[in-house]
Amino acid sequence: MDELEENLLFKLTSIQGPLVDDESLIEVLGVTKITSEEVKHKLVTAAETEVKINSAREEFRPVATRGSILYFLIVEMSYVNAMYQTSIRQFLALFDDSMEKSDKSPITSKRISNIIDYLTYEVWKYQVRGLYEEHKFLYTLLLTLKICLQSNRIKPNEFMTFIKGGAALDLKAVAPKPKNNWISDMTWLNLVELSKIPQFSEILSQVSRNEKAWRQWYDSDAPEEGNIPDGYQNSLDIFKRTLLVRSWCPDRTLAQARKFVVDALGQRFADGVILDFHSMWGESDTDTPLICFLSMGSDPTAQIDTLAKKLKVDCKPVSMGQGQEIH
């Protein structure tokens, strides 16, 4: 368009005689008009296309949201142990694989659901296999909590009650506990904090009125499996039941939390991840080596040798110190 405008201006300024007698000028005017209409039509089409792209992008925003939750939890795990650091490049490779390998569907909502399910499980599996045993369920539980927070399945105050309980409260500044010795001070503070959640607003008075039933439930071997007094058995969802167990019996919290994970994400997230060297080999390349850390009672040498034989690849060990000499 700029070139046509310059050409037209040049013709208008350099023409001699009547304008209508200059055929080249009339030709330039015709070309300019046609081109202008074409550009106008393309601009309208581009605007319509932009609206469609923005709409499609917004439809897939839940995928980006889930990716954000997964990545930043991985980053936070490095505060637990510096060895758990994961680069954004590693994560983006997993993200791109999920877009490519998840089940396709002509229905957008189903397609989005497939991507989110595949992405969540693959990232969880990838991360868990690199954690120490003591931190694996911590990561799984935090992932479940963050996903439920984002979906508004649990509220921020419920999350904080689960994390902190009544640790920030002063026993002298709260309602006095019943005159007995079986409820510990920490348990009572947990219950005071729990009573701030509307569904548990009456729990302090209920414990005082129905002390025998509550103690019988509390003293059972597995309270999370028993019938909770005062109508809570059938009125609580899985997370609020977890809050109650956490407040009363911190030692039984993990058992109940596993049920919460299964309910929120599925049974496969509560099962252990079996280390598959063949699958790991498929993820590696010349720039991405496999690194295994030796620890007491854990030596992957035999599995590496087996994989090398299966793939018909030469495996040459190199001594890295005492006990690692080539035999």
Side-chain angles (χ1 to χ4, degrees):
M1 285 299 298
D2 291 340
E3 185 180 344
L4 288 172
E5 289 177 359
E6 291 177 2
N7 191 22
L8 180 60
L9 288 173
F10 175 76
K11 288 288 185 181
L12 289 172
T13 55
S14 61
I15 192 172
Q16 296 179 354
L19 296 177
V20 294
D21 293 339
D22 193 320
E23 295 183 0
S24 63
L25 175 62
I26 295 174
E27 183 179 345
V28 169
L29 286 170
V31 172
T32 302
K33 180 180 179 182
I34 294 171
T35 305
S36 175
E37 291 176 352
E38 289 177 352
V39 170
K40 183 178 179 180
H41 176 72
K42 288 180 180 178
L43 288 173
V44 172
T45 302
E48 293 174 351
T49 303
E50 183 180 5
V51 171
K52 292 178 181 179
I53 291 173
N54 289 337
S55 176
R57 183 172 58 190
E58 286 302 316
E59 281 189 289
F60 279 83
R61 187 172 293 276
V63 177
T65 300
R66 178 60 58 88
S68 175
I69 291 172
L70 293 167
Y71 176 69
F72 285 107
L73 177 57
I74 291 174
V75 172
E76 290 169 5
M77 287 301 294
S78 65
Y79 301 141
V80 177
N81 191 310
M83 290 174 58
Y84 296 159
Q85 295 183 57
T86 302
S87 71
I88 185 66
R89 181 180 175 184
Q90 286 174 277
F91 179 79
L92 288 177
L94 293 171
F95 190 91
D96 292 342
D97 277 349
S98 299
M99 298 290 288
E100 181 181 343
K101 296 178 181 178
S102 56
D103 292 338
K104 307 296 188 291
S105 175
I107 303 172
T108 304
S109 59
K110 180 62 176 175
R111 171 66 174 145
I112 292 170
S113 178
N114 291 343
I115 295 173
I116 289 175
D117 289 346
Y118 188 94
L119 173 66
T120 303
Y121 183 67
E122 289 302 312
V123 171
W124 171 81
K125 187 170 62 173
Y126 180 89
Q127 184 68 9
V128 162
R129 76 184 182 195
L131 303 178
Y132 287 119
E133 198 65 35
E134 61 185 311
H135 297 144
K136 289 182 178 181
F137 187 69
L138 169 65
Y139 171 74
T140 303
L141 181 56
L142 285 173
L143 175 62
T144 308
L145 289 168
K146 285 180 175 289
I147 289 174
C148 289
L149 271 171
Q150 187 275 326
S151 64
N152 294 319
R153 179 173 175 176
I154 63 177
K155 299 177 181 177
N157 64 320
E158 296 172 348
F159 173 77
M160 294 309 300
T161 299
F162 179 79
I163 297 297
K164 297 194 304 181
L169 300 178
D170 183 355
L171 190 63
K172 297 179 181 179
V174 301
K177 72 175 185 177
K179 296 179 180 180
N180 56 59
N181 296 320
W182 69 275
I183 300 179
S184 69
D185 291 348
M186 193 67 250
T187 297
W188 184 252
L189 291 176
N190 288 341
L191 292 176
V192 171
E193 186 66 26
L194 185 66
S195 68
K196 297 177 182 179
I197 296 174
Q199 201 160 353
F200 296 104
S201 60
E202 300 297 322
I203 193 167
L204 299 182
S205 59
Q206 289 170 332
V207 170
S208 299
R209 290 196 308 265
N210 196 10
E211 185 179 330
K212 183 178 179 180
W214 280 102
R215 182 167 188 176
Q216 183 178 5
W217 174 77
Y218 173 78
D219 287 339
S220 62
D221 293 335
E224 72 279 2
E225 302 288 352
N227 291 323
I228 307 175
D230 288 318
Y232 287 111
Q233 179 64 25
N234 298 318
S235 64
L236 300 180
D237 62 30
I238 190 71
F239 183 68
K240 289 187 174 63
R241 190 182 183 101
T242 303
L243 284 179
L244 187 63
V245 172
R246 182 255 184 271
S247 299
W248 274 103
C249 320
D251 60 313
R252 302 303 303 171
T253 302
L254 288 183
Q256 177 61 28
R258 290 186 186 279
K259 296 182 180 181
F260 168 57
V261 169
V262 171
D263 182 79
L265 299 183
Q267 180 63 48
R268 59 182 179 171
F269 287 88
D271 297 334
V273 175
I274 299 175
L275 193 60
D276 184 352
F277 272 80
H278 192 274
S279 175
M280 290 174 61
W281 173 265
E283 297 173 15
S284 68
D285 54 41
T286 54
D287 297 322
T288 311
L290 302 180
I291 300 176
C292 302
F293 291 96
L294 296 176
S295 60
M296 292 295 293
S298 176
D299 185 351
T301 304
Q303 292 170 287
I304 293 173
D305 288 339
T306 300
L307 178 64
K309 292 177 182 177
K310 184 176 181 180
L311 297 173
K312 298 180 180 179
V313 175
D314 290 336
C315 183
K316 299 177 180 179
V318 178
S319 176
M320 299 294 289
Q322 186 177 1
Q324 298 296 310
E325 294 81 4
I326 300 177
H327 297 290

